[in-house]
Amino acid sequence: MSDIPQERRVRTAIPGPKSVELQARRTAAVAAGVGSTLPVFTARAGGGIIEDVDGNRLIDFGSGIAVTSVGASAEAVVRRASAQLADFTHTCFMVTPYEGYVEVCERLAELTPGDHAKKSALFNSGAEAVENAVKIARAYTKRTAVVVFDHGYHGRTNLTMALTAKNMPYKQGFGPFAPEVYRVPVAYGYRWPTGPENAGAEASAQAIDEITKQIGAQNVAAIIIEPVLGEGGFIEPAKGFLPEIARFAKDNGIVFVADEIQSGFCRTGQWFACEDEGIVPDLITTAKGIAGGLPLSAVTGRAEIMDAAHSGGLGGTYGGNPVACAGALGAIETMIELDLNGRARRIEEVMKGRLGEMRAKLPNGGVIGDIRGRGAMIAIELVKSGTKEPDAAATAALAKACHAEGLLVLTCGTYGNVLRFLPPLVIGEDLLNEGLDILEQAFATL
Ligand SMILES: *Cc1c(COP(=O)(O)O)cnc(C)c1O
């Protein structure tokens, strides 16, 4: 509902009594392995607000993990998806196709970087898109090895667990993992031993050395990287790193895959984060922000690569569901109409300004070791004051203090010490600032 009042309201403890009751039912019926950041049960959501079953209204700095960039009930998404729902819910595109799927693929060809001929295939989840990018790259190159990076995150299925760097909670106890996956260094500026100014050149040289000496470039089907690393801690690879890896891939016939599942669709202030350094990936995986909250994902790329898989080799019962496609067309329409790239850049300006002021007030920057990210994908990395030692406890305490005041924030990072901010791009500037006020007060509780 787009008429949900855009005002924070805290009228019970958070979570409130109705949420606590539902949480008891949930604990009895839902598998323990499925967690929740904040067990507040949602009644409705839209714009920058999540309203819970107790009538509290939370400021949303999470967007359901970078999904509801247009809001959780955007008018064009609701209108188009509702109309599609009434017409038909499903036929299976592999049985009898429909126009919405084709139209989403046409939009993806227009919006993704590069003016070469492009094709797409649609799926349900981000992990499924990444798996299919690997299938396509292997079919095209007739090679098997896949290269990924330290701190990378690509999903929770068997192959994507293998691609994901962090053990706990994503991989622990769930192996054995898919073979022929190799991990190499990434240019993590804040933690690069010789400093951020050297990280781009040194990390790319190390990565390329490991690929050529340990794997053999001629065996590599794909190099997969998030242009801004998401779950790993909102790490922007230092300048020069991505272009060098992309050049190496091109020179060696390796398919360069940008995993833009979190960073894509206006999140960083550009349609895709790889545009920032002028990268044109061979394949690009998208999901999360693509469809205003409906489950949809895609692999888009060079037509000759996308066509390498034999007919019937790609697909799935639900892939490119018609309602999800209608949602995507509504979300893309909203992004263009409201200039959400511009909104994301404005969110960056406000957030980085305020976070910089907060750090300046703390002696030596206090626990705020680093402020980083682009657009509406901003994070602070928290450390023990005066060191670079990760402070996961302070991060958890800050998140808890924010939650109690009705501000939903998420954490991430290999060391669990990154507080990340992913507000819907349509959030009002007053709510954005109110959320930052709450964060600022939370520092006093440490
Ligand atoms: C979330 C995410 C995925 C996995 O997407 P799911 O829809 O959860 O399967 C893959 N890659 C990146 C970069 C992500 O952020």
Side-chain angles (χ1 to χ4, degrees), residues 125-128 130 153-155 226 231 259 261-262 287-288:
S125 68
E128 214 186 336
V130 174
Y153 179 85
H154 302 287
E226 304 159 78
E231 303 303 302
D259 181 351
I261 287 167
Q262 190 155 164
K288 293 201 165 96

mmCIF file of all heavy atoms in Angstrom, residues 125-128 130 153-155 226 231 259 261-262 287-288, ligand 1:
data_model
loop_
_atom_site.group_PDB
_atom_site.id
_atom_site.type_symbol
_atom_site.label_atom_id
_atom_site.label_comp_id
_atom_site.label_asym_id
_atom_site.label_seq_id
_atom_site.Cartn_x
_atom_site.Cartn_y
_atom_site.Cartn_z
ATOM 1 N N SER A 125 16.018 -17.187 -8.282
ATOM 2 C CA SER A 125 16.820 -16.649 -7.181
ATOM 3 C C SER A 125 18.191 -16.252 -7.696
ATOM 4 O O SER A 125 18.611 -16.667 -8.794
ATOM 5 C CB SER A 125 16.990 -17.709 -6.094
ATOM 6 O OG SER A 125 17.808 -18.748 -6.590
ATOM 7 N N GLY A 126 18.888 -15.492 -6.879
ATOM 8 C CA GLY A 126 20.230 -15.083 -7.248
ATOM 9 C C GLY A 126 21.162 -16.269 -7.422
ATOM 10 O O GLY A 126 21.910 -16.362 -8.394
ATOM 11 N N ALA A 127 21.096 -17.203 -6.462
ATOM 12 C CA ALA A 127 21.983 -18.371 -6.537
ATOM 13 C C ALA A 127 21.756 -19.138 -7.837
ATOM 14 O O ALA A 127 22.709 -19.591 -8.481
ATOM 15 C CB ALA A 127 21.736 -19.287 -5.335
ATOM 16 N N GLU A 128 20.505 -19.247 -8.227
ATOM 17 C CA GLU A 128 20.185 -19.967 -9.464
ATOM 18 C C GLU A 128 20.777 -19.244 -10.689
ATOM 19 O O GLU A 128 21.237 -19.889 -11.634
ATOM 20 C CB GLU A 128 18.660 -20.051 -9.580
ATOM 21 C CG GLU A 128 18.153 -21.309 -10.215
ATOM 22 C CD GLU A 128 16.643 -21.258 -10.432
ATOM 23 O OE1 GLU A 128 15.935 -20.505 -9.734
ATOM 24 O OE2 GLU A 128 16.185 -21.969 -11.325
ATOM 25 N N VAL A 130 23.528 -17.413 -10.668
ATOM 26 C CA VAL A 130 24.977 -17.626 -10.652
ATOM 27 C C VAL A 130 25.309 -19.038 -11.148
ATOM 28 O O VAL A 130 26.227 -19.235 -11.956
ATOM 29 C CB VAL A 130 25.554 -17.389 -9.235
ATOM 30 C CG1 VAL A 130 27.033 -17.744 -9.186
ATOM 31 C CG2 VAL A 130 25.343 -15.938 -8.805
ATOM 32 N N TYR A 153 30.500 -13.422 -2.019
ATOM 33 C CA TYR A 153 29.266 -14.139 -1.662
ATOM 34 C C TYR A 153 28.451 -14.364 -2.929
ATOM 35 O O TYR A 153 28.193 -13.411 -3.672
ATOM 36 C CB TYR A 153 28.422 -13.349 -0.657
ATOM 37 C CG TYR A 153 27.139 -14.081 -0.309
ATOM 38 C CD1 TYR A 153 27.123 -15.051 0.690
ATOM 39 C CD2 TYR A 153 25.959 -13.845 -1.016
ATOM 40 C CE1 TYR A 153 25.969 -15.765 0.980
ATOM 41 C CE2 TYR A 153 24.798 -14.560 -0.731
ATOM 42 C CZ TYR A 153 24.811 -15.513 0.266
ATOM 43 O OH TYR A 153 23.667 -16.225 0.539
ATOM 44 N N HIS A 154 28.046 -15.623 -3.150
ATOM 45 C CA HIS A 154 27.275 -15.902 -4.369
ATOM 46 C C HIS A 154 26.063 -16.781 -4.123
ATOM 47 O O HIS A 154 25.398 -17.153 -5.088
ATOM 48 C CB HIS A 154 28.199 -16.514 -5.429
ATOM 49 C CG HIS A 154 29.356 -15.623 -5.770
ATOM 50 N ND1 HIS A 154 29.207 -14.473 -6.522
ATOM 51 C CD2 HIS A 154 30.667 -15.663 -5.419
ATOM 52 C CE1 HIS A 154 30.395 -13.869 -6.634
ATOM 53 N NE2 HIS A 154 31.294 -14.568 -5.969
ATOM 54 N N GLY A 155 25.764 -17.153 -2.872
ATOM 55 C CA GLY A 155 24.540 -17.897 -2.606
ATOM 56 C C GLY A 155 24.744 -19.108 -1.722
ATOM 57 O O GLY A 155 25.846 -19.329 -1.194
ATOM 58 N N GLU A 226 31.750 -9.730 -7.573
ATOM 59 C CA GLU A 226 30.774 -8.682 -7.282
ATOM 60 C C GLU A 226 31.508 -7.341 -7.424
ATOM 61 O O GLU A 226 32.491 -7.115 -6.715
ATOM 62 C CB GLU A 226 30.270 -8.801 -5.844
ATOM 63 C CG GLU A 226 29.673 -10.143 -5.461
ATOM 64 C CD GLU A 226 29.692 -10.339 -3.944
ATOM 65 O OE1 GLU A 226 28.831 -9.769 -3.259
ATOM 66 O OE2 GLU A 226 30.601 -11.054 -3.443
ATOM 67 N N GLU A 231 27.738 -9.224 0.928
ATOM 68 C CA GLU A 231 27.764 -9.881 2.240
ATOM 69 C C GLU A 231 29.160 -9.827 2.867
ATOM 70 O O GLU A 231 29.292 -9.821 4.084
ATOM 71 C CB GLU A 231 27.317 -11.342 2.125
ATOM 72 C CG GLU A 231 25.939 -11.539 1.515
ATOM 73 C CD GLU A 231 24.856 -10.793 2.259
ATOM 74 O OE1 GLU A 231 24.683 -11.022 3.467
ATOM 75 O OE2 GLU A 231 24.188 -9.960 1.621
ATOM 76 N N ASP A 259 28.742 -10.328 -10.840
ATOM 77 C CA ASP A 259 27.578 -10.687 -10.022
ATOM 78 C C ASP A 259 27.034 -9.391 -9.417
ATOM 79 O O ASP A 259 27.543 -8.891 -8.422
ATOM 80 C CB ASP A 259 27.982 -11.688 -8.936
ATOM 81 C CG ASP A 259 26.790 -12.100 -8.064
ATOM 82 O OD1 ASP A 259 25.711 -11.477 -8.194
ATOM 83 O OD2 ASP A 259 26.940 -13.034 -7.260
ATOM 84 N N ILE A 261 23.960 -8.986 -8.337
ATOM 85 C CA ILE A 261 22.692 -9.339 -7.683
ATOM 86 C C ILE A 261 22.354 -8.343 -6.572
ATOM 87 O O ILE A 261 21.207 -7.960 -6.415
ATOM 88 C CB ILE A 261 22.764 -10.797 -7.187
ATOM 89 C CG1 ILE A 261 22.675 -11.730 -8.402
ATOM 90 C CG2 ILE A 261 21.685 -11.108 -6.167
ATOM 91 C CD1 ILE A 261 23.026 -13.173 -8.129
ATOM 92 N N GLN A 262 23.358 -7.904 -5.829
ATOM 93 C CA GLN A 262 23.104 -6.911 -4.772
ATOM 94 C C GLN A 262 23.350 -5.478 -5.254
ATOM 95 O O GLN A 262 22.644 -4.550 -4.884
ATOM 96 C CB GLN A 262 23.969 -7.201 -3.532
ATOM 97 C CG GLN A 262 23.586 -6.373 -2.328
ATOM 98 C CD GLN A 262 23.944 -7.000 -0.983
ATOM 99 O OE1 GLN A 262 23.956 -6.320 0.011
ATOM 100 N NE2 GLN A 262 24.207 -8.284 -0.918
ATOM 101 N N ALA A 287 19.331 -9.993 -9.707
ATOM 102 C CA ALA A 287 18.192 -10.543 -8.948
ATOM 103 C C ALA A 287 17.736 -9.416 -8.006
ATOM 104 O O ALA A 287 17.497 -8.314 -8.477
ATOM 105 C CB ALA A 287 18.573 -11.811 -8.179
ATOM 106 N N LYS A 288 17.666 -9.691 -6.728
ATOM 107 C CA LYS A 288 17.315 -8.724 -5.684
ATOM 108 C C LYS A 288 16.478 -7.516 -6.182
ATOM 109 O O LYS A 288 15.284 -7.605 -6.238
ATOM 110 C CB LYS A 288 18.564 -8.286 -4.935
ATOM 111 C CG LYS A 288 19.168 -9.454 -4.125
ATOM 112 C CD LYS A 288 20.072 -9.030 -2.982
ATOM 113 C CE LYS A 288 20.322 -10.172 -2.027
ATOM 114 N NZ LYS A 288 21.545 -10.932 -2.233
HETATM 115 C C1 LIG B 1 22.064 -12.300 -2.390
HETATM 116 C C2 LIG B 1 23.142 -12.592 -3.327
HETATM 117 C C3 LIG B 1 23.185 -13.805 -4.039
HETATM 118 C C4 LIG B 1 22.195 -14.916 -3.819
HETATM 119 O O1 LIG B 1 20.885 -14.530 -4.140
HETATM 120 P P1 LIG B 1 19.653 -15.403 -3.581
HETATM 121 O O2 LIG B 1 18.452 -14.799 -4.256
HETATM 122 O O3 LIG B 1 19.644 -15.235 -2.102
HETATM 123 O O4 LIG B 1 19.904 -16.804 -4.003
HETATM 124 C C5 LIG B 1 24.207 -13.983 -4.941
HETATM 125 N N1 LIG B 1 25.132 -13.018 -5.156
HETATM 126 C C6 LIG B 1 25.101 -11.848 -4.503
HETATM 127 C C7 LIG B 1 26.133 -10.817 -4.808
HETATM 128 C C8 LIG B 1 24.127 -11.602 -3.556
HETATM 129 O O5 LIG B 1 24.122 -10.448 -2.876
#
